[in-house]
Amino acid sequence: MPHTVLGSFEGEWFEVTTPEQARLLSDPAALRHLEPFIGRTLGAAEAAREAGVSVERMLYRVRQFVAAGLLEEAGERRRAGRPVRLYRAPGGFRVPFHLTPFADLEAQILRHGRAYDRLRARAGARGLARLDLNARLLYRSTEGEVHSETFMPDARTYAAFRQHHIGGDYMGVLWLDDGTARQVQDALNALRELLVLQDGQRAGKRPYLIQTALHPLDADDPEALPGPPG
């Protein structure tokens, strides 16, 4: 049984066996339509409302999933007029990498991260727009490092913005000793445990994009020493 990290799973795993199944399960747009059915029995209209798509689009995807063997009919629900046809997908899928449409793992990570990168850029731009920013700063610090950053009017304005608005991001390549890297790893582990406990019901909550990454880089790789962003 596969070891899960983000949550527990006690059901039976569906073993993906065809490239078409792997392609659909590797496509974020397709997954958006399949997700309401995973481990649950629903009608197409219910799934469409949950996914935030039209019933027509959901019915198209349902036919696609049924033909691929990822979704199966699960009876009908009686009601006035025509009964509702129900569908169910397995509660867990195991997708062998060799069946996916990606050339390698790097391509897979880039594809899956693309939607989150767009969300981050859009949300970050909205936050910066509140400060009426119109310039970037490119400079060599007194420590000898070249930096590129968004212009902030002054420290007081920035502090006030951070006090009243939740959000922000930081990305960069830092040189850490093993002890500091372990401290960062421990902090990320604690954060991940906190976030897993918070996931679930949406009442009284709003969505936040959260990204964390800590990867050792090859010091001899030129891309490990990126210049300031453009």
Side-chain angles (χ1 to χ4, degrees):
M1 177 178 293
H3 172 68
T4 58
V5 176
L6 300 179
S8 59
F9 180 73
E10 298 178 351
E12 294 186 8
W13 293 95
F14 179 93
E15 185 78 16
V16 169
T17 58
T18 70
E20 175 64 6
Q21 290 174 341
R23 183 188 70 81
L24 289 170
L25 292 173
S26 301
D27 179 358
L31 277 177
R32 179 182 180 185
H33 294 76
L34 182 64
E35 185 175 342
F37 297 107
I38 295 178
R40 293 193 295 175
T41 301
L42 291 176
E46 296 171 289
R49 286 194 297 270
E50 186 170 317
V53 300
S54 68
V55 176
E56 290 75 15
R57 173 57 58 177
M58 179 58 74
L59 287 171
Y60 166 78
R61 287 292 188 177
V62 163
R63 291 191 292 270
Q64 191 178 37
F65 296 144
V66 170
L70 298 175
L71 196 67
E72 63 181 9
E73 294 190 23
E76 295 180 336
R77 181 188 302 135
R78 297 294 180 181
R79 66 170 183 177
R82 295 177 60 184
V84 176
R85 186 171 297 176
L86 303 176
Y87 301 90
R88 184 179 181 86
F93 297 88
R94 183 180 179 277
V95 187
F97 177 74
H98 73 275
L99 292 176
T100 68
F102 305 107
D104 52 32
L105 287 171
E106 183 176 343
Q108 183 182 43
I109 292 171
L110 286 171
R111 177 65 181 89
H112 287 168
R114 196 180 303 159
Y116 293 110
D117 289 338
R118 287 197 299 266
L119 279 176
R120 182 179 57 80
R122 192 181 311 149
R126 283 199 304 267
L128 292 175
R130 296 171 184 163
L131 286 174
D132 192 26
L133 305 175
N134 55 13
R136 293 191 64 81
L137 302 179
L138 177 65
Y139 64 97
R140 184 179 296 278
S141 70
T142 55
E143 294 80 18
E145 299 290 336
V146 175
H147 299 290
S148 176
E149 63 186 56
T150 301
F151 167 71
M152 294 293 171
D154 55 65
R156 180 178 300 177
T157 300
Y158 180 72
F161 176 78
R162 285 287 173 244
Q163 182 178 0
H164 294 94
H165 296 88
I166 298 175
D169 60 63
Y170 171 81
M171 291 185 295
V173 175
L174 297 178
W175 292 73
L176 308 176
D177 58 52
D178 290 344
T180 303
R182 174 55 60 186
Q183 284 183 290
V184 175
Q185 181 65 69
D186 291 342
L188 291 178
N189 290 342
L191 175 62
R192 189 173 295 112
E193 291 178 6
L194 172 64
L195 296 176
V196 169
L197 294 175
Q198 297 300 315
D199 197 17
Q201 297 298 322
R202 299 183 179 183
K205 300 179 181 180
R206 64 172 298 177
Y208 285 88
L209 174 64
I210 300 173
Q211 292 178 303
T212 62
L214 176 68
H215 295 295
L217 302 178
D218 181 355
D220 295 325
D221 184 351
E223 293 189 15
L225 303 172

